[in-house]
Amino acid sequence: MTTFLRKRIVSSAIPLVVVVLGVFILARLTGNPVDLYLPLSATAEQRAAFSAEHGFDQPILVQLWDYLGQVVQLDFGESLRTGQPAAEMVLEAFPATLQLAAVTMLIAIVGAVLIGSLAAYRPNSLADRTSSFLSMTAASIPDFWFAIMGVLVFGVSLGILPTSGVTGGPEVWVLPIATLLIRPFGVLVQVVRGSMVAALSAPYVKVARGKGASEKRVVFGHALRNATMPVLTVAGDLTIGLVNGAVVVETIFGWPGIGKLMIDSILQRDFAVLQAAVLLTAVTIFLLNILIDVCYALLDARVRQAVPA
């Protein structure tokens, strides 16, 4: 397990380094912050002083070297907008994204396991065909379209749900969670259903039934336990996608998470905050990948054995 974990950490760390370098370079392509933070009447001396103060007058490679040196010391700079430490702003916004992703995945997994298992228990029945159709439809709906329609119907036309912010009761969570939930739920129902159909036809299920086990124990005790491998893999990938792809939902609903912070930082050329936000997101995805791989290896010894020493 130690060898497996070490190799997975090394292989996963390479994309992390690429992301750090890529976001540093691409952020500078959005434009010069001097043009945004100083008035049009600013003199050449004022512009030069602003650039020198924030290091924008240095060659790009020098800026990159200085940035990497600061990252090693866990110094991510200060926001050009507010003057706050970039790390502080990112850490304040990140819990909102994690809460949204965690609640969404919890609902998606529990609902998909129940519906997928019931559909697999009676394959080709009306319930199975209905759940398959609805889950495939849900998996195909773009989240930005669903978010806009939700705002239009429930926020504007009916006026029963708030369309932005986090202040208020549980109703403020409905539209953001529904938007993030629809695709993972549809995908997981399909995966659970397919895995359970295969598991319920396996010999060990027939043996359990022959020994007099109840149908509830057969479905949820024997079949579901052995059908968790593909579900775990897909659920892990979807969780990473939620953390990484909450930008659209947070922007549309004004959710004060890491995704909205990234968009605001791009528009306002706040390089330090953008770099810190992307780095924290990348590290989170890196850790989630390691956790998924470890869980997979613990459940299936063949995964550990496939990694050479």
Side-chain angles (χ1 to χ4, degrees):
M1 175 59 76
T2 303
T3 301
F4 170 82
L5 185 59
R6 183 177 67 251
K7 290 184 176 293
R8 293 305 298 158
I9 290 176
V10 172
S11 62
S12 298
I14 295 175
L16 180 62
V17 175
V18 173
V19 167
V20 171
L21 297 177
V23 72
F24 179 89
I25 296 173
L26 292 175
R28 270 98 188 134
L29 298 180
T30 61
N32 191 344
V34 175
D35 300 329
L36 194 62
Y37 288 92
L38 291 184
L40 295 176
S41 59
T43 64
E45 290 77 12
Q46 290 174 323
R47 295 172 63 89
F50 184 90
S51 296
E53 179 184 355
H54 298 284
F56 299 139
D57 59 333
Q58 300 294 324
I60 186 69
L61 292 180
V62 175
Q63 294 183 44
L64 176 59
W65 181 256
D66 291 342
Y67 169 66
L68 293 177
Q70 291 175 332
V71 169
V72 171
Q73 302 174 40
L74 300 180
D75 179 8
F76 300 97
E78 295 181 348
S79 169
L80 292 175
R81 290 179 290 161
T82 65
Q84 290 180 263
E88 181 180 306
M89 294 180 64
V90 170
L91 291 175
E92 287 177 356
F94 202 53
T97 298
L98 290 181
Q99 290 171 3
L100 200 59
V103 173
T104 299
M105 283 309 301
L106 178 62
I107 297 174
I109 291 173
V110 173
V113 167
L114 291 175
I115 294 177
S117 299
L118 293 176
Y121 183 66
R122 297 187 182 279
N124 298 319
S125 64
L126 178 61
D128 179 31
R129 290 195 295 269
T130 302
S131 65
S132 296
F133 172 77
L134 293 177
S135 61
M136 285 190 289
T137 302
S140 305
I141 296 178
D143 53 3
F144 68 88
W145 179 87
F146 188 85
I148 294 173
M149 290 298 103
V151 170
L152 181 62
V153 174
F154 297 102
V156 178
S157 299
L158 300 178
I160 59 176
L161 292 175
T163 59
S164 64
V166 294
T167 57
E171 65 273 8
V172 300
W173 291 75
V174 174
L175 286 177
I177 287 180
T179 302
L180 281 178
L181 174 68
I182 185 167
R183 183 178 180 277
F185 178 74
V187 172
L188 284 174
V189 168
Q190 290 292 307
V191 174
V192 171
R193 190 250 179 211
S195 299
M196 286 295 291
V197 167
L200 286 170
S201 60
Y204 60 82
V205 170
K206 297 178 181 178
V207 171
R209 282 175 171 154
K211 291 182 178 181
S214 65
E215 285 300 302
K216 181 179 178 180
R217 180 171 178 79
V218 168
V219 174
F220 294 102
H222 295 279
L224 182 60
R225 183 176 59 187
N226 288 277
T228 55
M229 293 295 289
V231 177
L232 174 64
T233 303
V234 175
D237 291 339
L238 291 172
T239 302
I240 292 172
L242 287 181
V243 174
N244 192 38
V247 175
V248 174
V249 173
E250 291 182 357
T251 302
I252 292 176
F253 294 111
W255 193 268
I258 197 78
K260 186 175 184 299
L261 183 64
M262 286 184 193
I263 295 297
D264 292 342
S265 300
I266 292 173
L267 295 176
Q268 298 172 359
R269 299 175 192 170
D270 201 347
F271 295 160
V273 177
L274 175 61
Q275 291 161 182
V278 173
L279 179 58
L280 179 59
T281 303
V283 169
T284 302
I285 293 173
F286 165 79
L287 294 176
L288 284 173
N289 273 319
I290 296 299
L291 179 62
I292 293 167
D293 290 337
V294 169
C295 292
Y296 208 94
L298 290 174
L299 291 172
D300 192 345
R302 294 172 297 179
V303 176
R304 301 192 298 271
Q305 297 168 358
V307 178

